[in-house]
Amino acid sequence: MKRALTVLVSTLSLALFAAPAWAQNAGQIASVLAGRSCAGCNLFQADFAYKSISGRNLSGSRLKQADLSLATANGTIFSRADLSIVNAYGARFSSANFRNANLSMGTFVGAYFGGANLAGANLSGANFSGAEMALARGLTQAQLSRACGDTTTQLPRGLSIPTCS
């Protein structure tokens, strides 16, 4: 009886913590690629590299570990979204809204943030080397002090960023 109970508990534990609850939603990714907004969607590890996802509402969505390298996301709403550990090398985020979004541990090397709203965004551990952020809005020194960049990172006047090691 004890062995049967152990097996039952183990099986239930696996069912409760199984990966499908966290896996990406291919239908939602396809919807975004087709030009639709998808607020609150599960776009985990989505491949948006070299794609345009401009003007979409992705607020509250999970884009953790997504590939946004060389993507165009002008005017896209990422407020409260999880963009942690994304690869956004060379991406364009003109006038995008990252208000209260999680960009921690992301790679934004060479990305463009002209007119983007970064108020309240978590930038901890993010790499902004070579990024153009001079016209970004809502940035604070406290946010930037938890991120890193290099001598080519362009920031609003009066702000600085630690050098990536």
Side-chain angles (χ1 to χ4, degrees), residues 24-159:
Q24 64 182 209
N25 185 313
Q28 291 175 340
I29 293 169
S31 178
V32 172
L33 289 171
R36 291 185 281 285
S37 291
C38 201
C41 288
N42 189 353
L43 309 172
F44 175 68
Q45 294 182 336
D47 184 1
F48 295 129
Y50 300 92
K51 304 284 193 294
S52 176
I53 57 169
S54 293
R56 314 285 199 286
N57 179 357
L58 304 179
S59 60
S61 291
R62 183 174 186 247
L63 290 108
K64 185 174 187 170
Q65 297 178 354
D67 187 355
L68 295 166
S69 54
L70 297 168
T72 303
N74 298 331
T76 298
I77 302 169
F78 295 106
S79 60
R80 299 176 330 281
D82 180 0
L83 289 103
S84 60
I85 320 172
V86 300
N87 177 10
Y89 170 83
R92 295 193 55 79
F93 298 112
S94 296
S95 300
N97 184 351
F98 294 96
R99 185 177 201 75
N100 298 317
N102 180 6
L103 281 62
S104 65
M105 304 304 291
T107 300
F108 298 92
V109 174
Y112 180 78
F113 291 90
N117 180 358
L118 291 154
N122 177 359
L123 309 182
S124 298
N127 184 340
F128 292 99
S129 295
E132 167 53 69
M133 304 172 81
L135 299 176
R137 299 176 292 117
L139 276 174
T140 66
Q141 187 58 56
Q143 286 172 297
L144 291 170
S145 293
R146 291 188 288 274
C148 72
D150 64 11
T151 58
T152 64
T153 304
Q154 296 180 29
L155 299 169
R157 183 177 310 278
L159 298 178

